[in-house]
Amino acid sequence: MKRSLKNFGGYFWLSLACLFACFPVLFMVVTSLKTRAMLYEPARILFEPTLMNYEAAILQYGVTSYLKDSLIVCAINVLICVILGTITGYALHRFTFKRQNLIVAGILSARVFPSIALVIPFYLIGIFLHLLDTYTIIIIVFVTFNLPFSVVMMRGFFANISQDCEEAAMMEGCSRFGALVRVVLPQLKTGIFATAIMSFLTAWNEFTYVLFLTSSKVHMISTAVVFFKTEQGILWGEVSALGVIGVLPVIALCFLTQRYLVRGIV
Amino acid sequence: MSDKSRARFWLWVAPSSVPLTLLGSIPVLLLAYISLTSFELGYAFTDHRFVGFSNYTRLFSGREVEFWPALSLSIFVTFVSVIAKTALGLGVAVLLNKKLRFEYLATALIILPMAVNPAIAGLMWKLMLSYDFGIINAWLEELGFDKVVWLGQAWALMSVVIVLVWMHFPLSALLILAGLRNIAKDPQEAALMDGCNPRQVFWFIVAPQLLPVIIASSLFQAILAFQAFGPIFTLTGGGPGGATMILPLYIYEAAFGLGTVGLAAAAAIILIAITSALSAGMLVLGGKGQRS
Amino acid sequence: MSFTRRAFMLTSALITSALVSFPQAAIADSEEFSKWVDTVKAQEGGKTIRILGLSHPASESMKAMTPEFEKATGINVEWEIVGSGEILSKQFLAQTAGESSYDVYMVKGTALAEYDTKNVLVELSSRLEATNEYLPEYDFEDIHVAYRSGLGEVHGNTIAVPIAGETFFLSYRKDLFEKYGKTPPQTMDELLEAAKFFHEKEPGLYGISMRAETGRTLALTWEVFNPAFGGAIVDQANWDVKTDSPATIRSLKYLLELLAYAPPDIETYSWDAAVSAYAAGKTAMWLDATSLQSWLVDSDKSKVVGKIGYVAPPEGPEGRFGPVGGWSLGLPSTGTQADAGWAFIVWMTSKEKALEAFQKGGVPSRLSVLQDPAFADADPEFASALKDSLDAAGNLITSGRRWIPATSESTKLHKAAGYWAGQALLKKMTVEEAMKAAIPQLEEITAKIKSQE
């Protein structure tokens, strides 16, 4: 009895924080189910939901076809980040020497560049290499600013793994790389999932680069929002529907990997 | 380290560090070059004049009236939002650490702000904070208060801070939580047995060890806040009347609104310099933390 | 003649005359038009063109008509829609790169000077001449001169064809005006007086709503009033800065006085806040774009449906003038299929298809549509106010001036002027001080313009 009272404060404040976090998302879902006239009554909770916004987004604007391109690009991005991140993170962790931090700095520096600053140089480079509006250039850009973080994350996860198993495997004749794959990786599942989710998330929602570096052949869902900012105002219902459609894959992914994710973070 | 090990090391690290260094540096070098020219959008790329540092002097001297306000707005927003994000993140992390019953659900909900497309999130907040159609004002009215012009001259900047805090605080919470979980339990339990109360345990034993994590996460949040573009672009677009024209928005206006790419590139280089300084700070502290 | 024979002749005469006098059904194209379409099909059929368009009712209308176009000409059409914030950047970026994957651009009419200086669009006069020869029915002159010139011509070149033009007019609350026995204002003095009269006449009521956000928006609103007073930010003939001329100062003072009778946070109002305020019933009048009229009669968005009237912008000491804005269609100079693209433009902007375009949600630009009973009968006061406003806008164009000066530096000019006008609006400086302070910045910009000429 005393215990639950003592924790009541904790429950209360945590609930408040959760409410703050999820409220706008709930609002987005609710708005996506309202007609335009109901926008005048924002606080109304009981109403007849309508799917017309989703219909418009999917049928009229063809939004779901963009999911395909987004999924392809982000999946490849995740693959590259995880593989290279693991290899590099491992190397940085196991081979320690003086100048190491400099290399990490070099790698990490690519992370801090704001997209708005580098759109034009990347566009010009894309023109020069004839890579505009292709999967290649978007993947290149995504990997450039996701890989650094993946490397650093993986390096951190390696720190939690003892070297003994590795040494044992190598003494039995495995190469270092073999040891990595066979012995270390299975212990790293949580770390890999965490890294995968982080790089997926940042790629999935990227707007600026996608807007200027792609147009028709590659169409990603993060830029679909521009259709709904019309000269006659913003189509709130459709925007919300788009937001919900865009967040569903993320939620699905997190749900599928949640055990690994939470353990990886904590 | 022996030569053989060193060679091996480079073999492992090369596949990622070489492309990254190239991909990271070439666009930046190109950007730096553009910042020394008077390049404007719409003209052929070869059609530009080299003007040396005059773009920078124009920005710093106040000739471009909106640069200094943009920079100071960015600094203000970063400063305030980082404090709020860290405080909120710390609180949430402590609560999550208590292993209350609905820990998994809470964690999932807390992560939600990071999952939504930032541009759309900005639009949703814009609707929620709308004077006539906003749900926040509707509730204020129900509770008997006056409606607030959230996106007007007086409050727009605060609204921007609120949205940024909402969007980024989960990251602080997760990083600090990871830090908390890494702190050894034994000293804490020993202290409790010796008669200290939990609050003293927290402030004298846990907090000092948590400090590196808090500082590292604060710096990371500062980098995020300084660069934030998408949500603010859709929330206020820099308005009203330039009240929320933070540096990334200034760069956007200069490059795509006015087409003065050379000037925008100079401002962008300044932005990069600031975020690089912050990230260098993070690395230094991170290095220290690792060794301890 | 026997009775039956006369009856028969009478009836057949009636039927014949009825058939002749009924307007031709819009379903079947005229013979001339069909012939032209067939030639296009023979030459360009099978090609695919790409259009870069804006998120706008006019594009919706064109998209709705695209299947008809594709069927008739055999040309496939791919649409790409972006927002107004992105479309110019995309077009200019493509120009910088020297290549474009589009064959038709939707172009911003008020930025034509910039398009021209940067050679983004193909010059169209020779094509128009050719079209007028083999398709005289196209009747380019039927497009209202305000649009034809204002959204199509710059520096003596014709580089675009208008598709969605707009001007400004005044809308007023008929119910309030009738209640207090007022007539809609025709002159600047009457406008000011009406705003003053209605301001706070009833609880929660303000005089007028306009877009006045400090910065470029404020400058653009100010420029709507400038010509009527003989003022100007820059002289559009010799590019001298004119902010300190008495007429200019007078027009800014007038605007600021007028804005005193607007909602309290007027200095934050962009176009959507301005129209929302009026549509919510908060102000007695509204001076803004004609294209937003649909917002006011949409019962989803507006609480003043059925209560409003329209009138052309008021007359000042120097005459009645109005702005021209909107969107046109052009051919990118870096495109590769100019002929097919041109066929698309001609088809979509033709007299033949104009009424259909309007019915599918587009904006009327042709006199033939504006004067068509189908258009006028829906809302006669709107139709006549629109025509009067367009004529006022035409006055400005024919006097050799534009609402947005025909130079690639116009955005910078207005941004600077709007900043300083904003300082006066926010009462941080007097009008005279602000206008004087604006001169150095403006002169730097005009120096560049002069060197370009």
Side-chain angles (χ1 to χ4, degrees), chain B residues 70-94:
Chain B
L71 188 57
S72 43
L73 279 177
S74 272
I75 293 177
F76 177 78
V77 166
T78 302
F79 192 70
V80 175
S81 69
V82 167
I83 293 179
K85 284 185 245 183
T86 306
L88 192 54
L90 181 62
V92 170
V94 166

Side-chain angles (χ1 to χ4, degrees), chain B residues 40-43 58 241, chain C residues 95-96 118 213 415 444 448:
Chain B
E40 280 195 37
L41 205 60
Y43 296 105
R58 287 179 68 103
Chain C
Q95 182 65 15
T96 295
K118 298 178 178 176
E213 187 180 3
K415 217 160 175 258
E444 197 186 340
K448 182 165 182 205

Side-chain angles (χ1 to χ4, degrees), chain A residues 73-209:
Chain A
V73 170
C74 294
I76 297 181
N77 165 66
V78 166
L79 218 61
I80 298 179
C81 283
V82 166
I83 295 176
L84 284 183
T86 309
I87 297 177
T88 316
Y90 177 71
L92 285 176
H93 169 71
R94 296 287 286 112
F95 301 112
T96 49
F97 64 99
K98 260 192 263 182
R99 298 277 191 81
Q100 196 187 74
N101 268 338
L102 209 62
I103 301 195
V104 177
I107 292 178
L108 207 56
S109 63
R111 184 73 173 95
V112 302
F113 298 143
S115 49
I116 191 70
L118 294 181
V119 164
I120 294 193
F122 268 116
Y123 186 88
L124 294 171
I125 292 174
I127 289 284
F128 188 66
L129 297 174
H130 293 286
L131 278 179
L132 274 193
D133 203 14
T134 60
Y135 286 133
T136 316
I137 192 157
I138 292 288
I139 293 174
I140 290 177
V141 170
F142 280 0
V143 169
T144 307
F145 62 82
N146 276 324
L147 187 54
F149 201 56
S150 305
V151 167
V152 173
M153 271 186 90
M154 289 311 292
R155 179 171 83 144
F157 287 118
F158 274 113
N160 289 334
I161 296 183
S162 73
Q163 283 181 230
D164 305 333
C165 310
E166 261 184 85
E167 308 276 310
M170 284 202 290
M171 283 205 293
E172 293 192 24
C174 284
S175 72
R176 190 174 279 280
F177 189 74
L180 171 65
V181 171
R182 259 172 263 188
V183 174
V184 182
L185 272 190
Q187 299 180 50
L188 266 182
K189 265 201 231 136
T190 61
I192 290 181
F193 274 115
T195 309
I197 297 272
M198 283 300 302
S199 58
F200 182 81
L201 212 54
T202 20
W204 185 256
N205 285 330
E206 173 56 37
F207 180 74
T208 323
Y209 285 120

Side-chain angles (χ1 to χ4, degrees), chain C residues 70-402:
Chain C
E70 284 178 319
K71 197 158 156 238
T73 61
I75 300 176
N76 293 320
V77 177
E78 278 177 18
W79 276 92
E80 184 172 332
I81 302 279
V82 291
S84 63
E86 293 87 42
I87 191 167
L88 263 81
S89 321
K90 262 196 127 144
Q91 290 166 344
F92 288 133
L93 261 177
Q95 182 65 15
T96 295
E99 57 187 57
S100 171
S101 45
Y102 304 101
D103 304 291
V104 176
Y105 276 162
M106 234 171 122
V107 299
K108 191 166 190 177
T110 49
L112 278 183
E114 202 177 344
Y115 281 104
D116 192 52
T117 314
K118 298 178 178 176
N119 291 319
V120 181
L121 299 172
V122 171
E123 221 275 335
L124 297 173
S125 339
S126 45
R127 283 188 183 269
L128 273 172
E129 265 175 45
T131 303
N132 272 325
E133 265 179 41
Y134 55 73
L135 189 65
E137 209 240 8
Y138 177 70
D139 200 359
F140 189 56
E141 309 284 312
D142 177 43
I143 300 179
H144 195 288
V145 64
Y147 292 153
R148 210 187 329 131
S149 273
L151 301 176
E153 253 183 74
V154 75
H155 300 150
N157 302 325
T158 305
I159 54 176
V161 179
I163 186 85
E166 60 188 44
T167 177
F168 272 35
F169 64 1
L170 184 73
S171 176
Y172 64 97
R173 288 279 298 280
K174 250 191 179 145
D175 55 336
L176 291 173
F177 273 67
E178 274 168 14
K179 181 172 170 186
Y180 293 97
K182 290 277 183 189
T183 55
Q186 293 292 338
T187 69
M188 290 293 180
D189 290 333
E190 286 174 19
L191 177 64
L192 189 60
E193 202 227 302
K196 195 170 177 180
F197 178 81
F198 282 104
H199 193 63
E200 287 166 357
K201 194 75 177 171
E202 294 186 2
L205 182 70
Y206 303 102
I208 187 166
S209 171
M210 290 196 284
R211 54 175 103 168
E213 187 180 3
T214 57
R216 183 164 181 256
T217 307
L218 180 60
L220 288 177
T221 301
W222 178 23
E223 290 268 58
V224 173
F225 290 90
N226 254 331
F229 288 94
I233 295 177
V234 294
D235 183 316
Q236 293 187 31
N238 57 29
W239 302 112
D240 285 338
V241 176
K242 290 274 174 223
T243 52
D244 50 352
S245 82
T248 311
I249 292 189
R250 184 173 165 208
S251 84
L252 184 57
K253 281 191 171 163
Y254 174 86
L255 177 63
L256 295 184
E257 214 188 321
L258 189 60
L259 289 175
Y261 303 118
D265 49 347
I266 190 74
E267 74 273 5
T268 65
Y269 274 31
S270 64
W271 66 268
D272 52 343
V275 70
S276 302
Y278 183 60
K282 289 206 261 184
T283 69
M285 295 184 286
W286 172 78
L287 181 74
D288 209 299
T290 54
S291 57
L292 291 172
Q293 182 257 359
S294 52
W295 187 301
L296 298 175
V297 297
D298 181 349
S299 48
D300 275 349
K301 291 192 173 116
S302 163
K303 294 193 187 154
V304 297
V305 185
K307 299 187 196 167
I308 52 181
Y310 314 91
V311 83
E315 193 174 344
E318 299 295 318
R320 193 189 289 259
F321 300 97
V324 173
W327 296 83
S328 311
L329 293 175
L331 294 174
S333 58
T334 48
T336 47
Q337 296 180 116
D339 292 328
W342 179 242
F344 177 85
I345 296 180
V346 169
W347 200 90
M348 287 292 173
T349 57
S350 64
K351 195 171 186 173
E352 190 81 21
K353 299 290 166 192
L355 193 58
E356 188 184 338
F358 167 66
Q359 283 161 345
K360 292 209 157 80
V363 178
S365 350
R366 286 176 170 273
L367 290 168
S368 51
V369 174
L370 289 169
Q371 290 161 341
D372 189 313
F375 176 73
D377 288 344
D379 192 341
E381 198 184 357
F382 171 63
S384 81
L386 183 58
K387 171 105 190 352
D388 291 340
S389 308
L390 276 177
D391 290 339
N395 282 347
L396 187 64
I397 302 274
T398 45
S399 75
R401 290 173 287 174
R402 306 238 165 157

Side-chain angles (χ1 to χ4, degrees), chain C residues 44-82:
Chain C
E44 309 290 330
K47 294 194 182 163
T48 304
I49 55 171
R50 303 197 47 232
I51 324 265
L52 180 61
L54 176 80
S55 200
H56 191 284
S59 350
E60 293 305 305
S61 146
M62 282 194 280
K63 277 167 89 174
M65 290 167 68
T66 295
E68 197 188 327
F69 171 77
E70 284 178 319
K71 197 158 156 238
T73 61
I75 300 176
N76 293 320
V77 177
E78 278 177 18
W79 276 92
E80 184 172 332
I81 302 279
V82 291

Side-chain angles (χ1 to χ4, degrees), chain A residues 47-96:
Chain A
F47 61 91
E48 235 180 67
T50 166
L51 285 177
M52 60 182 246
N53 295 317
Y54 288 94
E55 269 177 42
I58 296 176
L59 296 175
Q60 203 184 332
Y61 293 95
V63 149
T64 39
S65 66
Y66 301 171
L67 281 175
K68 180 187 91 174
D69 279 347
S70 278
L71 278 171
I72 294 177
V73 170
C74 294
I76 297 181
N77 165 66
V78 166
L79 218 61
I80 298 179
C81 283
V82 166
I83 295 176
L84 284 183
T86 309
I87 297 177
T88 316
Y90 177 71
L92 285 176
H93 169 71
R94 296 287 286 112
F95 301 112
T96 49

